[in-house]
Amino acid sequence: MVPDLDCSTREDGEVESFQLFSNDIIADEHSHAHGTCPKNKSLSAGTKSTVQPKNLDIILPTSPKPLPSPSGYWSPLKAIPLSSFYKLHRVPSLTAMGENSQADAHTIELPRSEPISNPEPLENMLQNGSIHNKILEQVIRTPGRQPSPQPTHLCVPGPSQHKVLHEEGSGYVAPKFEGKELQMDQVMDQLEEKGFIPPEFVESETNWFYNELGIDDMYFQTETVPAIVNHILSLYAGKVAAFARDDGRLEIRLDKEAVDHAVYIDTSKPGISVIDGPRYEQRIDEKYIDGSTSSNSYRVETFRSGSHLPGEKDQQLRCYFVYKCIFANPNPDLEETRLDIIGEKRFLQKATQNTKDIYQEVMDHVVSRAGPVIEMFEMEGSREKRLVIAYRQGSAMGMFSALSDLYHYYGCTSSRKYVEQFSNGITIMSIYLRPLPQSGATSMHPPIEAAIHQIMKEASLLYCIPQNKFQSHFASGRLSLQETIYAHCVWVFVGHFLNRLGSEYASLASLLDPSNSVHAEMLSKIKRRLRTETFTSDYILEIINKYPDLVRSLYLSFANTHYVQTRGEQDDFIPTLSYLRIKVQHVLDDNELKSLVSKSVANEHDEMVMTAFRVFNAAVLKTNFYTPTKVALSFRVNPKFLPEVEYPQPLFGMFLIISSEFRGFHLRFRDIARGGIRIVKSRNREAYSINARSLFDENYNLANTQQRKNKDIPEGGSKGVILLDVHHQDKVRVAFEKYIDSIMDLLLPPTSPGIKDPIVDLHGQQEILFMGPDENTADLVDWATEHARKRGAPWWKSFFTGKSPKLGGIPHDVYGMTTLSVREYVLGIYRKLNLTPDSVRKLQTGGPDGDLGSNEILLSNEKYTAIVDGAGVLVDPNGIDHSELVRLAKRRVMISDFDLSKLSPDGYRVLIDETNITLPSGEVVHNGMIFRNTFHLRGGKQFDIFVPCGGRPESVDLSTVHKLIVDGKSTIPYIVEGANLFITQDAKLRLEKAGCILYKDASANKGGVTSSSLEVLASLSFDDPGFVENMCIREDGSAPPFYDAYVKEVQQTIKRNAALEFEAIWREHQQTGIARSTLSDTLSVAITKLDEELQKTELWQNSELRRSVLEDALPQLLLAKIGLETIIERVPDNYLRAIFGSYLASRFVYEHGSSPSQFAFFEFMSKRMAKLPQPAPFPLTNGVHEFQV
């Protein structure tokens, strides 16, 4: 990036003139993986030339020098008085931001800074608060991170032959309309008939419209004569109306919308965003561009008239023409890139070959990218620049209008713009930018040669959030794009984390025991209720909008920490506004910001909101905010700011991800943790508000549940939740891809300057996340795996579980992994009570179409008497035909496909859309939906065992559980909760008190997480070739022998772990009488706590013990195939520690219970140490023997 150049100022405040060119041309060394942007061919090398600030612009040199390089291009312009430009820009008072430098010459040379020697370490800078303008060598670098290809494409300066356009004109040539002259005569005839325009002006007005506005023949060929007449009349009426205005201003606002095209004409002042006008560009975005698909899309042409309006020196007409696309091939392959196949017919007809070549190059890049492609082309012989931006349809809503605000902010205007749609789902925008006409206002902006690079960089930021909540401040120039998007992100943060529950909640929480699951559940419900009655997102937005100056100061603090000038003072890009403000304006420390907030705000609520900005700044450990190419904004946040009273279990890590389509979190309780990623939809705005308020708490609780469930495996609990914006409920795939890619920005190191710049990493440790499928993401897992591989992630194989077997995944549904665990608890009850399964009457929610439900049917041999699924209710007191159920389960279809001829006379089926159904007993069911939703709560002793394999959370709670209790006795003797959170904890305790034998979800359905953990372990243990050979299903569908054998070992491990926990809970309940659902949590906490303690002890340093434990804990097939030493070499050390700790902890607690004697662990470890080749006394100094579980 170009350094912030110091320009001398005189005592009168005027900026001294400055040198535009250096005599020495310095070769630009920026490069790009796919080619680079050109240096300016149209400029000559040259003599020194100076300008005054009032005429702040490029003055071309007059004496050319021989070209210094074979490429024949000059380096990017470096003569930009940025300090002075910034003082003159649309920012707060110039005097407050100025530097008291004294002029020492009338004309000054551009300074050439020497490389910084012995830079101060960032750690010291963090301590003494002197972080300023960090260069690459001063950034804390994460150890051991691997290089990554980039998900987006941004053109950077560099020696390339094809980035200067040699053709004149727009690159579009409309086919000549042969009937244009005849049409003009018809138009004039109708104008004369109307009589509105005086006859002597009819011809001149018609000629002006046809020949001086620059409208091409496509318009005249498309429109009818009456429509053109109306347009001309409207324009003339605008001129007449101007005479009636006090200011005499001419305003023309014309729009016509037809089924297949639209026309908008508006008066426009170059370089100005009109906030209160008709906002035609926003309308075009919303009505035509945002909703474009390959089957229904619109192309846009817009241009500015070549001449000014009569009597208006600063106004021109801006015309917009929208046409419905007619594709040559409407259904191509999504990876197809040939323009002649995917192009729109008008585009193919009008575009010149040079334009097609440009679009073809851009198209080849964008189909392989997750984000946008941003290219810039010089126009030979002109200062005009052609900016080309391509992205996938629907991935950047409002981008067309937002780009106008962006280039207006940098003093540019567009002569014409094109939006082209392609049938492979790609949108390409082409914008022709030129500097504003020479005036005093131009001194507020950098030259276009410099501004264009800033526009390109910020276009990537704009792509993430094209229309932020503070867009009006940006459009008016009061805040920069970076400041408004920063404010938008903090607005999201504040809405989730503003501590507003009050002292009453804290008092109540102090009286309750957070380790008691019933108390914790009640506190969670109270917190949810309290938050619905406090600050709304609109109220928070209103408060932030009142303090743009505070936002600017707070943003400076954020930028001062996280902005990196990648090449020190030799950076070739124009600095971003972040860097400029750091250099020119004083950056306040936290105490100064605290004082400023207190002095500036009007009341306590305002102070709470604005103080949350400081909390956000302090919590962010790293971010991709300043990465030039990104698809969403991600922040790695230190979760220590969370109040302990609300979140008693501390989080290890937190990611916050924000885009225009969604907001999301990823939370984990340990460094090594795994859990699914779910996408939450909202059926209306009210549901969205509810989901937004509970988003973080739901994510936290789900991760906490996962933490308890993962007690047998090395990974702790984690969870990711993505909440789709209320206006983007159809953007499931777009949101997921942006969420994953932006998190990866913070996990992988950057390698290409100007593409993925280095980030400030205050966390300073390598992080690996392990994810899996959840609600609405099961079919997206393969993409995430492949994307991680494309970005060069060394852990791509283990990044996601639940992937296709062709990628080495072990699908839970195919092999019944979750069901195997649930089934072990069902069989355990039968075994302990000597029950005969075929005589047990069984109720199951979650039918033959689901993963858990279908496999439970396939594995079971009980007498099914009722099944409830998405279609309705199926009942037969005499037993539902098992062979028919198996048929449905194998086909994965609902009970609506059940053959009713196989029901007994007492059997029946009620579907959700049926009404007024009479049952065999004579009972009338008035509403099938209500009957289905409440069937599991029907009284009577119709069932012996209930296995929920599906259904909504909290389907049985404290308010409904009494329906399952008659005369103090549970109507269902045995319940094994396969579905997550189906029964609330307080309802579980009430059922157990009524005599029900109940095993909760965290124990019963842990088979899936065990399978996923062992899938991850195999991925980490094999190298890439070995993984493909042994773990990936072949193209012909055959499985490698190792894969089949490994799946069987995984299944045996699941059943073994489930049996161990079942026996431990049964035994401890018999000894203590404590409810089994409570003991499940107690065991989980005990194992987790002991696991964490063990990982910190000296036991890990005992190599013989370490090897012995790993040999028992690791799958025997992996040990035989790869060998322990190779596994230790390949698997990360912290992951091996987690295996070591979780195995010892779970085996000890399952054997000795959650409350062992003081020396039980010493005895347990002594037995294990005695088995080692060279027995060593168990160390008594490490404190483990005193551990109280």
Side-chain angles (χ1 to χ4, degrees), residues 36-38 155 162-165 354 357-359 361-362 374-380 382-389 430-433 452 456:
T36 55
C37 289
C155 176
H162 65 283
K163 300 297 185 180
V164 173
L165 303 183
N354 191 48
D357 291 343
I358 292 171
Y359 279 37
E361 179 186 353
V362 170
I374 304 170
E375 289 271 16
M376 185 272 290
F377 299 86
E378 308 274 358
M379 304 295 287
E380 187 178 38
S382 168
R383 295 182 63 196
E384 191 170 71
K385 315 294 178 186
R386 187 173 181 180
L387 183 65
V388 180
I389 300 175
S430 188
I431 305 173
Y432 294 73
L433 296 176
I452 187 64
M456 291 170 63

Side-chain angles (χ1 to χ4, degrees), residues 711 821 825 999-1006 1058 1061 1065 1080:
K711 50 184 167 286
S821 178
Y825 282 83
Y999 282 89
K1000 69 181 296 182
D1001 52 351
S1003 294
N1005 70 5
K1006 64 181 181 178
E1061 184 173 359
I1065 292 175
S1080 175

Side-chain angles (χ1 to χ4, degrees), residues 1027-1074:
F1027 183 76
V1028 172
E1029 178 186 351
N1030 294 285
M1031 288 298 295
C1032 295
I1033 301 296
R1034 302 184 181 99
E1035 290 297 328
D1036 61 2
S1038 62
F1042 179 87
Y1043 183 91
D1044 286 336
Y1046 191 69
V1047 166
K1048 292 177 181 177
E1049 184 168 6
V1050 170
Q1051 292 173 325
Q1052 292 303 315
T1053 302
I1054 290 171
K1055 292 194 284 186
R1056 182 168 61 250
N1057 287 346
L1060 284 172
E1061 184 173 359
F1062 174 86
E1063 293 291 343
I1065 292 175
W1066 187 279
R1067 181 183 65 248
E1068 193 141 345
H1069 172 75
Q1070 295 292 96
Q1071 294 173 353
T1072 65
I1074 299 173

Side-chain angles (χ1 to χ4, degrees), residues 201-230:
F201 294 150
V202 168
E203 184 175 357
S204 62
E205 290 297 319
T206 304
N207 280 326
W208 177 69
F209 184 80
Y210 267 80
N211 300 320
E212 295 186 31
L213 294 185
I215 303 175
D216 66 25
D217 282 8
M218 181 72 73
Y219 163 79
F220 297 108
Q221 194 167 5
T222 303
E223 289 293 352
T224 63
V225 169
I228 297 173
V229 169
N230 286 335

